[in-house]
Amino acid sequence: MSMPSIYKTLGTSALMAGMAFGSAAALAADGPLRGNVRVVIGSTSTGGDTYQNSSIVADALAEHLDINMKVDAVGASSAFRFLDRDPRGNTLMIFHDQSYLGYLYGVEGYENIFEKYTIGPTVAINPGNAYLVPKDSPYQTLDDVIEAVGNGEEVRVAIQPGGVSEIGFSALKNAIAIEHPGMEENLVAVNTGSQADKNQQLFDDQADLINGTVQANEQYTRLPEDDQKAMRFLWLTARNSTIEQAPEDGLGQTTREQLLQYVEPNVNVTMGDDNFTFDKEFFFLYNKDMDQAIVNQIDQALAEIYAEGEIQETQKNAFFIPNFKPSDEAADYLESKMSVYEDIITNIQ
């Protein structure tokens, strides 16, 4: 990778972090982060995107710093509790936007992460957050859904309430309130659980639109229209620039070019002055009392790892978009991101 492309990938601040502290690999033996480190994640699944993404990053860090790192899928409530108890740095956490969306939606067990924890670096985006309809649905575009709701038609949307699954629904409801004031109540949430549960709502004709993911639902988009399980994408919430970074082959039999049909500017969900987008981003969280030297060490190590370029290829092969920002930059960015979504949630309450 040439020097200019490294700057584009990492940003100046990331490279300067690496330069300021010297080589992480050289200092690892004397660094504050050593021994066995437990990385708790806000998911109980070892087959999901949080575990997969966290493992890629933890493995790279462990090798670079010559330490032992184990990813532990304990779920959000337990992960926060374990993090609360360990200021030494032997317990770190990786999670995604659910960590602050849960707080905004008032989900039990979630607090304001920007007050209670130290925000660590961002590491990747899962670009696959999506909304789908049955393949034989009369709604050909998301505009069709907005117009139908605006004309008094009830549209049922299967979501898992209280976070990443719901934020697109909230944004859609907010857009309808802006374009068709008073009609937004016709967009009805069908609150359910896992992705399998949301899919089943669609199969059973209990929902007209569901939240899904490219990774979990792309297989259903290949089915013939007369199959009860056949679906098609209407909307990916990711930014256009995020999908542009995906592999050209996309995922399964859906190419990057096809995925770009479902993001802005081809799909518009207004927030008034801007259009809504949402990238599901993964980042570290630390105990508030953890030594700043460990924060610096991880920033430095990741700056070097991303400068080498290998981790980006691993992430892209798993359909993640590399997105390293060092801690200070990540904290400002994510807090600003939270404020945008807080406005949306407040507007529809």
Side-chain angles (χ1 to χ4, degrees):
M1 182 182 287
S2 66
M3 184 58 71
S5 61
I6 289 176
Y7 273 98
K8 288 176 186 175
T9 302
L10 296 178
T12 305
S13 55
L15 286 177
M16 292 305 292
M19 295 173 184
F21 297 101
S23 167
L27 297 176
D30 300 319
L33 189 67
R34 60 180 72 184
N36 296 316
V37 177
R38 184 188 190 193
V39 180
V40 293
I41 63 172
S43 169
T44 56
S45 170
T46 57
D49 61 341
T50 304
Y51 186 86
Q52 186 178 18
N53 177 69
S54 301
S55 295
I56 291 170
V57 174
D59 288 350
L61 266 176
E63 181 178 355
H64 197 77
L65 294 174
D66 194 24
I67 59 175
N68 297 316
M69 278 189 147
K70 176 181 181 294
V71 177
D72 204 351
V74 298
S77 297
S78 294
F80 285 127
R81 282 200 304 273
F82 288 130
L83 195 61
D84 290 341
R85 295 174 190 161
D86 187 0
R88 303 164 302 161
N90 292 97
T91 303
L92 311 174
M93 182 174 176
I94 296 178
F95 204 18
H96 50 69
D97 303 81
Q98 176 72 31
S99 57
Y100 63 81
L101 288 173
Y103 167 70
L104 293 179
Y105 280 114
V107 178
E108 186 177 353
Y110 287 83
E111 299 183 55
N112 188 335
I113 61 169
F114 300 99
E115 294 177 358
K116 189 164 185 182
Y117 303 102
T118 296
I119 305 301
T122 60
V123 291
I125 297 168
N126 180 345
N129 190 50
Y131 285 81
L132 304 98
V133 293
K135 197 167 263 189
D136 62 359
S137 169
Y139 308 123
Q140 296 300 312
T141 67
L142 198 66
D143 279 344
D144 290 344
V145 173
I146 293 171
E147 286 304 310
V149 173
N151 289 329
E153 194 172 313
E154 182 180 275
V155 175
R156 303 160 299 169
V157 188
I159 59 170
Q160 185 171 4
V164 167
S165 180
E166 186 171 1
I167 189 61
F169 170 82
S170 298
L172 186 56
K173 193 164 189 172
N174 182 59
I176 293 165
I178 292 169
E179 295 185 12
H180 304 280
M183 305 303 285
E184 63 274 11
E185 297 308 315
N186 293 318
L187 190 75
V188 178
V190 178
N191 291 330
T192 185
S194 68
Q195 189 61 61
D197 294 336
K198 286 179 279 188
N199 293 349
Q200 196 63 48
Q201 294 289 329
L202 205 68
F203 302 154
D204 295 342
D205 196 28
Q206 298 301 304
D208 307 297
L209 178 69
I210 64 167
N211 172 245
T213 67
V214 173
Q215 294 90 331
N217 295 90
E218 191 272 344
Q219 59 182 314
Y220 297 107
T221 67
R222 306 177 209 162
L223 299 173
E225 187 171 311
D226 60 358
D227 191 305
Q228 182 187 6
K229 295 184 177 182
M231 307 178 186
R232 53 184 166 81
F233 294 113
L234 276 196
W235 179 30
L236 303 187
T237 65
R239 291 172 289 190
N240 186 293
S241 58
T242 299
I243 300 297
E244 283 279 11
Q245 296 175 66
E248 187 175 355
D249 290 342
L251 187 78
Q253 295 176 17
T254 306
T255 66
R256 179 178 65 199
E257 200 61 37
Q258 289 172 311
L259 292 174
L260 284 168
Q261 297 173 23
Y262 307 113
V263 298
E264 48 85 28
N266 296 318
V267 178
N268 293 308
V269 177
T270 186
M271 296 191 301
D273 294 334
D274 298 302
N275 286 318
F276 169 86
T277 57
F278 172 76
D279 280 340
K280 182 180 180 182
E281 303 192 58
F282 294 85
F283 54 93
F284 279 89
L285 295 104
Y286 306 136
N287 184 292
K288 197 79 169 176
D289 296 323
M290 191 180 79
D291 188 348
Q292 179 63 36
I294 298 177
V295 178
N296 295 343
Q297 185 184 15
I298 294 173
D299 276 352
Q300 165 198 354
L302 286 173
E304 293 172 3
I305 289 167
Y306 278 81
E308 289 166 3
E310 187 175 327
I311 192 172
Q312 289 95 320
E313 295 308 310
T314 304
Q315 288 174 326
K316 286 188 175 184
N317 286 339
F319 205 67
F320 295 115
I321 306 302
N323 185 43
F324 170 63
K325 292 183 176 69
S327 300
D328 287 348
E329 185 181 334
D332 290 343
Y333 166 73
L334 290 168
E335 192 160 14
S336 174
K337 187 178 178 184
M338 182 178 82
S339 69
V340 171
Y341 301 142
E342 184 174 17
D343 288 345
I344 290 172
I345 294 166
T346 302
N347 287 346
I348 62 171
Q349 287 176 341

